[in-house]
Amino acid sequence: MKEYLSDQIKNLSLLGSSGSGKTTLAEAMLFEGGVISRRGDVNSKNTVSDYNRVEQEYGYSVFSSVLFTEYLGKKLNIIDCPGSDDFINGAITSLNVTDTALMVVNATQGVEVGTENIFRYTDNYNKPVILVVNQLDHEKANFEMTVESISEAFGNKAVIVQYPVNVGPGFDALVDVLKMKYYKWGPDGGEPTITDIPDSEKSKADELHNALIEAAAENDEGLMELFFEKGSLDEEEMRRGIRKGLVARDMFPIFCVSAQKDMGIRRLMEFLGNVVPLVSQMPKPKTSKGEEVSCDVNGPASIFIFKTSIEPHLGEVSYFKVMSGKVAEGMDLVNMNREAKERLSQLYCVAGSNRHKVATLLAGDIGATVKLKETKTNHTLNIKGCDYVFDPIAYPNPKYRVAVKPLSEGEEEKLGEILTRMHEEDPTIIVEYSKELKQIIVHGQGEFHLNTMKWRLENNDKLAIDFIEPKIPYRETITRQARADYRHKKQSGGAGQFGEVHMIIEPYVEGMPAPTMYKFDGQEFKVSVRGTEEIDLPWGGKLVFHNCIVGGSIDSRFMPAILKGIMEKMEEGPLTGSYARDIRVCVYDGKMHPVDSNEISFKLAGRNAFRSAFKDAAPKILEPVYDVEVRVPSDRMGDVMSDLQGRRAIIEGMNSEKGFEVIKAKVPLKEMNKYSTSLSSITGGRAFYSMKFAKYDKIPPEIQEKLLSAYDDDSKEE
């Protein structure tokens, strides 16, 4: 395989809704480039992209597939991404390391919800987009409807470059209004016959050609002047204008293909090689320090690991982009995230499960290596002396959570190892080992996402698991002041135990002044703060501990023991065993014994005094509340609003954005269980949402009573 220079490489994301035919299109592109000798088929489970067992079992893409093909002296690196929003990590990863998006649109469905969802990410990453209308040979294909839906979704920036002559099962020809040529195929597709446009199509072709010229000229002042001067532009001038329009996202060219019949693929690849912007024409990536890095083969060698997978018979495969310089087989690099040396023992160009060994890869290229020891996804590897570090890829917050447990006892460690590996392969699978809830909780993008993970665990790793509803990480706090004292006394022969603690507790609010006096039942308690400890609790909130002892009633050496006893009850709240937070404690008096007092005595006295005071301080259970943003079509707005209100949501705002109604609300986490499934059912899969932790808030009294009752029942059973 030849060594490709940076200006001969194009990096492409293959995006689109599920069922749009991305995998079939990728197969045709690799076939036309000679990388594979025969085209696989999704139904036959033999495509280059979908080679994992779960993909073949269910017939949909779960992982992004790194591919390449060669055409007309150019190397096209392609990342074929899953269409389901549950596997959005593939598209986000791909858009971080590629330069142009191919957005595949199903000619029978037009622009679908999945298409719009993924298109938003191309906007977020400011990537050029080429729209590819596929499945024009389907009996239900409708090109006019598809273009209309594209215009509604993406505006007048979408410009036709090709249109089909005969849509449906007999599709075999199209008109290219950039080249102003007529393309026709035989029944086996492949190489077309290229002729002049027939008279019957001339008028329509001329009209679309002029529209394309105007769109191209709008992106370059020089071209605009040339257009006014000549009244037209030649093909090369149009290419220049289209390229600038792509980079600025002011133009989304529309191409036509039948990937299944291999029609239109060669012309699309020719356009990708000749017109799609080079890496050097795109904004330069920046390091974590904000330094721009040029895609320069003469620069220092630097690679960014964007994906990790575990492959049968090969182990861990690390996929990378060469950000700068040149890497070669056997080269030693430094992992900047771990400060460890790594050797690139082998280099590959990858086409799904097929790997082509190469000696070198240059700036801008994408490849893979194996058996790196310390390197994981999002790590940067550099030649010694280079200090580049690239920011990790940011993924959406999870939207769905389940608790996982193995069906067989003693397999928790094995489950943990597999889940850690799965997180490496898919960073949107977040694994939480909750000491508080005594559960392994897995967070993902949706029910479909985690059900697929379950299939892999049970079928690939032979580990049977069960999904159970995750517990809610409640918190406990108090709402008023309370006073309590406790004497711990134990005498059983020999040295005894004695410790007495008097304390006052109250709700803590940031910035509140130091205490000076309290009043309980008409009696005043003056306090003088001798020492303070502020503890930022690992689970959120604070504990503020004031030593207000005067006259030496408790020796200062016992104060840490009292604090330790209080912390034990903070870790297991008196109401439901949940963590407590935001409490201020004043230890103002007590007693000790010259012989029997020790640390254990004061720890127990402090713990029990705190427990007693807590129950008298009008305790409240707090629940986690999330900021939820739902984007929904206007015709489903009412149904979604009603459903949210039934989930105790507080609606905070509504507005319209890019064809969607946007609802912003605060919703308790308890009410978000299986919300992704419900929202999809209510809206026919046309709505989507995001959620992010906002705060802890008091739960309604009736729900608190239920939780207290349930905790009491559980405690009795134990």
Side-chain angles (χ1 to χ4, degrees):
M1 183 175 173
K2 66 171 281 191
E3 183 180 80
Y4 285 91
L5 301 174
S6 301
D7 62 359
Q8 298 171 318
I9 298 166
K10 304 291 177 79
N11 296 321
L12 311 164
S13 292
L14 193 52
L15 309 172
S17 189
S18 294
S20 58
K22 301 181 300 297
T23 297
T24 305
L25 175 58
E27 201 76 8
M29 293 174 74
L30 268 62
F31 175 74
E32 287 294 349
V35 174
I36 56 176
S37 57
R38 58 181 292 276
R39 289 186 294 140
D41 179 78
V42 172
N43 294 326
S44 300
K45 303 180 181 181
N46 60 354
T47 61
V48 171
S49 289
D50 292 346
Y51 61 91
N52 286 281
R53 278 188 67 199
V54 66
E55 295 172 319
Q56 294 174 352
E57 175 72 19
Y58 287 139
Y60 57 75
S61 297
V62 171
F63 303 99
S64 59
S65 292
V66 179
L67 314 165
F68 80 94
T69 189
E70 301 168 286
Y71 201 72
L72 301 179
K74 300 289 197 318
K75 184 185 181 194
L76 306 180
N77 289 315
I78 304 162
I79 303 183
D80 179 16
C81 304
S84 169
D85 197 47
D86 279 39
F87 305 106
I88 195 63
N89 74 293
I92 292 173
T93 298
S94 179
L95 288 167
N96 272 270
V97 295
T98 61
D99 303 306
T100 302
L102 288 186
M103 185 71 70
V104 185
V105 182
N106 188 333
T108 69
Q109 302 292 332
V111 173
E112 301 171 77
V113 176
T115 319
E116 293 183 272
N117 290 353
I118 295 172
F119 188 86
R120 283 196 334 277
Y121 287 106
T122 71
D123 192 19
N124 293 346
Y125 291 105
N126 199 31
K127 299 293 183 180
V129 173
I130 297 165
L131 298 161
V132 183
V133 179
N134 189 23
Q135 302 185 28
L136 288 162
D137 55 317
H138 195 281
E139 60 183 11
K140 294 183 179 179
N142 186 328
F143 183 71
E144 285 71 25
M145 176 276 294
T146 300
V147 170
E148 187 177 326
S149 71
I150 287 172
S151 298
E152 287 177 2
F154 311 135
N156 58 9
K157 293 180 180 181
V159 184
I160 292 174
V161 175
Q162 298 173 335
Y163 70 88
V165 175
N166 47 349
V167 174
F171 170 71
D172 65 352
L174 60 79
V175 172
D176 189 303
V177 301
L178 172 57
K179 284 188 167 292
M180 286 303 282
K181 291 294 181 182
Y182 182 76
Y183 288 72
K184 186 174 176 64
W185 289 269
D188 297 325
E191 185 172 359
T193 301
I194 306 173
T195 60
D196 291 334
I197 298 171
D199 292 340
S200 59
E201 298 296 329
K202 201 75 173 66
S203 175
K204 181 177 180 179
D206 284 340
E207 182 183 341
L208 292 172
H209 179 68
N210 289 333
L212 183 60
I213 288 174
E214 289 183 25
E218 283 178 2
N219 297 290
D220 188 305
E221 287 186 13
L223 288 178
M224 184 65 79
E225 291 176 8
L226 203 58
F227 173 58
F228 285 136
E229 183 183 316
K230 298 194 312 182
S232 185
L233 296 175
D234 61 32
E235 184 182 339
E236 188 50 47
E237 290 163 344
M238 289 173 71
R239 283 180 177 177
R240 195 172 91 206
I242 292 170
R243 188 179 297 116
K244 286 197 170 184
L246 280 167
V247 173
R249 281 181 61 88
D250 282 334
M251 179 185 283
F252 307 131
I254 299 174
F255 280 78
C256 298
V257 301
S258 165
Q260 188 70 44
K261 290 185 175 180
D262 192 13
M263 295 178 182
I265 309 302
R266 294 187 181 198
R267 172 67 185 113
L268 174 64
M269 291 170 70
E270 178 188 295
F271 179 84
L272 296 175
N274 292 333
V275 182
V276 163
L278 298 165
V279 177
S280 59
Q281 294 167 317
M282 296 296 293
K284 296 176 182 177
K286 292 182 179 180
T287 67
S288 300
K289 296 178 181 177
E291 180 184 359
E292 289 188 341
V293 175
S294 296
C295 183
D296 180 6
V297 68
N298 296 313
S302 177
I303 66 174
F304 176 71
I305 308 295
F306 64 85
K307 172 180 161 72
T308 304
S309 69
I310 309 298
E311 304 287 346
H313 315 300
L314 200 60
E316 192 170 285
V317 180
S318 302
Y319 296 86
F320 62 85
K321 181 178 183 181
V322 185
M323 307 301 287
S324 170
K326 174 180 180 177
V327 292
E329 196 173 70
M331 178 181 277
D332 289 326
L333 298 176
V334 178
N335 183 320
M336 302 299 290
N337 303 82
R338 296 276 178 89
E339 297 183 354
K341 191 170 89 170
E342 294 278 22
R343 172 160 291 186
L344 303 181
S345 58
Q346 299 170 72
L347 295 179
Y348 299 97
C349 284
V350 180
S353 59
N354 303 326
R355 293 167 197 85
H356 300 255
K357 214 161 180 292
V358 293
T360 58
L361 289 168
L362 307 186
D365 212 343
I366 287 173
T369 189
V370 294
K371 299 177 182 175
L372 297 180
K373 295 176 182 177
E374 299 289 333
T375 300
K376 302 297 179 186
T377 301
N378 283 325
H379 286 183
T380 304
L381 274 63
N382 295 336
I383 196 76
K384 189 176 180 181
C386 175
D387 65 352
Y388 296 158
V389 178
F390 296 96
D391 286 331
I393 298 169
Y395 295 98
N397 292 321
K399 296 177 283 196
Y400 193 87
R401 60 198 284 270
V402 294
V404 183
K405 68 173 185 179
L407 292 184
S408 300
E409 288 187 19
E411 293 198 302
E412 287 79 9
E413 187 175 341
K414 180 181 178 182
L415 174 61
E417 290 172 358
I418 297 169
L419 290 175
T420 300
R421 186 196 74 210
M422 286 183 166
H423 170 71
E424 284 294 328
E425 293 182 287
D426 178 358
T428 58
I429 293 176
I430 309 295
V431 185
E432 175 192 354
Y433 302 92
S434 178
K435 174 187 170 186
E436 172 189 3
L437 304 178
K438 300 179 177 63
Q439 288 181 320
I440 300 175
I441 297 175
V442 181
H443 305 256
Q445 293 299 305
E447 188 171 12
F448 184 30
H449 188 200
L450 297 188
N451 281 341
T452 303
M453 181 200 77
K454 186 175 189 284
W455 188 96
R456 292 170 58 206
L457 272 163
E458 295 182 337
N459 291 274
N460 293 350
D461 298 293
K462 309 302 179 188
L463 179 61
I465 62 165
D466 196 13
F467 279 173
I468 54 179
E469 185 174 337
K471 298 174 185 176
I472 302 298
Y474 293 111
R475 298 286 180 264
E476 298 179 16
T477 194
I478 55 175
T479 58
R480 69 184 184 201
Q481 298 174 350
R483 187 186 69 84
D485 56 73
Y486 188 88
R487 173 181 290 183
H488 174 75
K489 184 176 181 181
K490 186 176 179 183
Q491 195 73 43
S492 57
Q497 292 181 1
F498 183 89
E500 184 175 321
V501 173
H502 298 228
M503 71 172 62
I504 294 169
I505 69 172
E506 63 183 324
Y508 173 76
V509 179
E510 197 71 42
M512 64 193 298
T516 55
M517 188 182 71
Y518 295 98
K519 194 171 185 179
F520 294 98
D521 300 326
Q523 183 181 357
E524 292 184 350
F525 293 82
K526 292 184 178 179
V527 296
S528 178
V529 177
R530 304 295 185 186
T532 298
E533 282 195 56
E534 288 193 11
I535 301 168
D536 289 311
L537 301 168
W539 51 86
K542 270 189 176 182
L543 169 67
V544 176
F545 180 79
H546 288 317
N547 175 2
C548 301
I549 295 294
V550 292
S553 57
I554 300 177
D555 197 293
S556 59
R557 64 192 169 95
F558 293 130
M559 298 309 288
I562 296 171
L563 176 58
K564 187 175 181 181
I566 292 169
M567 279 298 298
E568 284 184 0
K569 289 313 294 178
M570 292 286 288
E571 289 188 22
E572 188 180 348
L575 294 182
T576 62
S578 304
Y579 291 138
R581 57 177 284 168
D582 299 324
I583 297 172
R584 184 162 76 174
V585 179
C586 293
V587 176
Y588 67 92
D589 201 0
K591 292 180 182 178
M592 58 183 180
H593 188 278
V595 176
D596 292 346
S597 286
N598 51 30
E599 290 186 1
I600 187 69
S601 302
F602 277 100
K603 186 184 87 165
L604 293 172
R607 185 173 72 180
N608 286 298
F610 179 79
R611 181 175 181 273
S612 179
F614 193 100
K615 289 192 171 182
D616 289 339
K620 269 286 186 183
I621 299 173
L622 306 176
E623 64 180 343
V625 177
Y626 278 66
D627 283 321
V628 177
E629 184 174 291
V630 188
R631 292 170 183 262
V632 57
S634 57
D635 62 326
R636 290 287 184 269
M637 179 82 160
D639 296 334
V640 172
M641 287 280 288
S642 297
D643 181 69
L644 281 171
Q645 287 164 349
R647 296 173 183 272
R648 297 193 283 128
I650 297 173
I651 308 298
E652 296 197 316
M654 292 176 283
N655 63 284
S656 298
E657 187 178 310
K658 296 183 179 179
F660 285 91
E661 301 299 320
V662 181
I663 306 169
K664 295 183 178 180
K666 280 191 163 54
V667 191
L669 178 61
K670 173 70 175 173
E671 306 297 336
M672 292 300 291
N673 186 41
K674 295 192 175 181
Y675 181 63
S676 61
T677 308
S678 299
L679 182 64
S680 180
S681 176
I682 292 168
T683 65
R686 296 165 60 208
F688 52 95
Y689 75 103
S690 61
M691 57 187 285
K692 183 180 180 182
F693 175 75
K695 62 178 181 177
Y696 271 89
D697 210 349
K698 295 171 188 173
I699 64 171
E702 65 274 12
I703 296 178
Q704 175 156 323
E705 286 303 316
K706 288 180 182 178
L707 289 171
L708 293 175
S709 177
Y711 184 69
D712 286 343
D713 291 343
D714 289 344
S715 299
K716 287 174 186 175
E717 287 178 14
E718 291 175 6

